[in-house]
Amino acid sequence: MSRNDAAPGTVTEPPGRIRRALSLLYVQCLIGVLAGAAVGWLWPTLGADLKPLGDGFIALVRMMIAPVIFCTVVHGIASMGNARAVGRVSLKALIYFEVLTTVAMVIGLVVVNIVKPGSGLHVDPSTLSTEGLPPEATQSHESVSAFVLSIIPDTLPSALTGHEILPVLLISVLFGFGLNAAGEAGAGITQGVEKLSKVLFTLIRWVMRLAPIGAFGSMAFTIGSYGLDTLRQLSLLVGSFWLTALFFVLVVLGTVMRVNGLRLLPFLRYIKEELLIVLGTSSSEPVLPRMMAKLQHAGASKPVVGITLPAGYSFNLDGTAIYLTMGSVFLAQALGIDLSLTQQLTMLAVMLLTSKGAAGVTGSGFIALAATLSAVPHVPVAALALIFGIDRFMSEARALTSVVGNGVATLAVAKWEGQLDEDRAKAVLRGEIPYACAPEADHTAEPQADPVPGEQPAETGPKAAAGTDRAPVPAAG
């Protein structure tokens, strides 16, 4: 007899509160983060040696990202059936990305000029060296034309085996349009792609069970390798950067949510598990599949989520945008270089290009800053040595801000396209329609959403079939 089949006349005692809490992924991740910080602080050498735990977890998730994006985008475009609608969604998303990225950079520029975190350091430029910096920070960086050409993969399969998101998006869009144009011949492939995506999300759910271990290893490495002494020395920069990122999230992104009839704080509660995973791993990549599933569960249509969210990982890095302006001006202040307003605005224009294509992996913001300093020779690249030791402590804030920003962007674009079920979104954010894993026994069944209190059951038949595709993908965690 299984543990669920209690004997007649007996009462099964529900699990205790502590046991229920420990079964939640975000609680497990929080424990992993705190334990990793303690190990890195008490035993720095051991903490530094635990880096493979975090790297291994991120590698496991990263190997799934390209196939997940491909299946989601292809099925979304094929089910949308309208090339003009896809172009409209893409254009609105790109305009939104550029506007919000510019706002983030301007906010960072204003804060760093008011706080002046580097003005008291008085560093002699002749004492700086590029020795010890990552090779990517000192090598020559590609031009705009080279960046555009790099989006085109060598072969169709090679896009799925690389580490860049933009080539995957390109072949996914082309393949989706190809299925549309193929008519009946493409219908069977579209169904196969949808079934494959369900298998992939099942694998993602299994991998995400290792998230607490990955968060533990990454945090132990960060504290063990860089220590808290380095953080204390440049605490004004780190503190002002975190507060600026928090201001951007609460005020700017909060305003975007309000304008679209939603509230930010319930949304942050809804994605708290993803935020803790990002905090522990310093990377936004591991939560991309989960964010896609959760945004669809919240009422955004699959095509809009499939196009907007992956594109945001290359074009809407709000946290990196704040970091670029604050980091570059901080280094100039530390070296005693007085940047004029024109020079700062020139750097901002360059950053709008160098920030693109920097996927949400640990250290990508640092490399983007190096590319900016190389393109605008107001500050020597060797000055990056001043913040290399604390970059990891700012990486978490960059990734957290970008994850929230991309989630808000997806909901906003869905609302503007009429592809957001507002009543469902509000009910989900209030916790009335909880996000839960699909049953292990039946991975092929599409999860059914609980009805919103006070609403009639969803219609079935041809009328319902004609509606927008908002069914959530299989839950990733």
Side-chain angles (χ1 to χ4, degrees):
M1 182 170 58
S2 69
R3 63 179 184 180
N4 294 326
D5 300 328
T10 63
V11 179
T12 9
E13 184 179 353
R17 182 179 299 176
I18 296 179
R19 184 178 174 184
R20 286 199 306 270
L22 291 177
S23 67
L24 300 174
L25 181 62
Y26 77 91
V27 174
Q28 296 171 6
C29 288
L30 181 60
I31 293 173
V33 168
L34 296 176
V39 169
W41 181 42
L42 297 173
W43 302 285
T45 304
L46 174 62
D49 292 340
L50 293 176
K51 186 175 185 288
L53 294 179
D55 291 347
F57 169 71
I58 293 176
L60 280 172
V61 178
R62 187 180 293 168
M63 75 177 183
M64 307 293 298
I65 286 179
V68 165
I69 291 176
F70 177 79
C71 290
T72 306
V73 174
V74 167
H75 182 262
I77 292 177
S79 61
M80 185 177 283
N82 187 339
R84 184 174 297 178
V86 174
R88 190 173 60 244
V89 170
S90 303
L91 180 62
K92 288 181 179 179
L94 290 176
I95 292 174
Y96 174 93
F97 294 159
E98 286 305 309
V99 171
L100 265 289
T101 299
T102 304
V103 170
M105 287 184 174
V106 170
I107 290 175
L109 205 60
V110 171
V111 171
V112 76
N113 278 283
I114 293 175
V115 178
K116 298 185 183 300
S119 59
L121 295 181
H122 306 295
V123 177
D124 184 358
S126 63
T127 62
L128 299 175
S129 171
T130 57
E131 185 178 352
L133 294 177
E136 297 87 351
T138 55
Q139 67 186 15
S140 59
H141 298 277
E142 60 185 9
S143 62
V144 176
S145 59
F147 167 72
V148 173
L149 290 175
S150 69
I151 299 175
I152 305 173
D154 294 332
T155 62
L156 197 68
S158 67
L160 300 177
T161 59
H163 297 294
E164 299 295 331
I165 292 178
L166 290 179
V168 181
L169 278 176
L170 176 64
I171 67 164
S172 302
V173 170
L174 293 176
F175 201 82
F177 284 135
L179 291 181
N180 266 333
E184 187 178 348
I189 299 178
T190 302
Q191 293 177 359
V193 169
E194 183 182 15
K195 292 178 180 178
L196 176 60
S197 71
K198 294 179 181 181
V199 175
L200 292 174
F201 273 97
T202 298
L203 298 178
I204 285 287
R205 185 172 66 251
W206 293 347
V207 171
M208 292 310 295
R209 292 173 180 170
L210 301 175
I213 299 176
F216 168 77
S218 293
M219 188 56 68
F221 165 75
T222 299
I223 303 298
S225 297
Y226 303 112
L228 297 178
D229 291 336
T230 305
L231 183 61
R232 292 190 193 101
Q233 294 172 7
L234 299 173
S235 57
L236 184 57
L237 172 62
V238 176
S240 59
F241 174 69
W242 273 84
L243 290 176
T244 304
L246 183 63
F247 172 84
F248 178 83
V249 169
L250 295 180
V251 177
V252 178
L253 298 182
T255 301
V256 173
M257 290 287 280
R258 282 285 187 183
V259 167
N260 289 282
L262 301 173
R263 295 171 57 208
L264 178 68
L265 293 182
F267 177 67
L268 295 180
R269 285 195 296 269
Y270 178 56
I271 61 170
K272 59 181 178 292
E273 291 182 353
E274 289 70 35
L275 295 180
L276 279 170
I277 293 171
V278 171
L279 177 66
T281 60
S282 298
S283 173
S284 57
E285 274 196 331
V287 300
L288 175 57
R290 288 177 59 93
M291 287 293 292
M292 296 175 77
K294 279 199 166 182
L295 289 168
Q296 290 179 51
H297 178 73
S301 69
K302 183 180 290 187
V304 172
V305 172
I307 294 171
T308 307
L309 190 65
Y313 267 63
S314 288
F315 292 100
N316 190 44
L317 301 175
D318 297 327
T320 300
I322 297 172
Y323 170 80
L324 290 178
T325 49
M326 294 192 69
S328 57
V329 178
F330 166 83
L331 294 176
Q333 293 171 351
L335 297 177
I337 301 172
D338 186 18
L339 294 177
S340 66
L341 178 61
T342 302
Q343 289 174 322
Q344 293 188 33
L345 293 178
T346 302
M347 293 180 71
L348 189 148
V350 172
M351 291 169 193
L352 287 173
L353 296 175
T354 56
S355 62
K356 301 298 180 283
V361 297
T362 305
S364 61
F366 187 79
I367 304 305
L369 179 57
T372 302
L373 298 183
S374 299
V376 185
H378 302 314
V379 180
V381 175
L384 289 170
L386 297 175
I387 61 172
F388 180 59
I390 60 164
D391 178 73
R392 185 83 180 202
F393 295 102
M394 294 188 284
S395 180
E396 288 94 345
R398 292 199 300 263
L400 288 168
T401 306
S402 297
V403 164
V404 177
N406 285 324
V408 171
T410 304
L411 293 176
V413 173
K415 172 69 182 296
W416 300 338
E417 274 293 296
Q419 299 288 309
L420 176 67
D421 187 337
E422 264 192 90
D423 292 333
R424 178 181 176 86
K426 291 176 181 177
V428 167
L429 298 188
R430 287 195 301 264
E432 296 170 4
I433 309 179
Y435 175 82
C437 297
E440 291 283 351
D442 184 11
H443 297 311
T444 61
E446 193 77 18
Q448 299 297 319
D450 299 328
V452 180
E455 289 188 354
Q456 296 297 322
E459 294 185 18
T460 57
K463 184 176 180 180
T468 304
D469 180 7
R470 288 194 179 93
V473 295

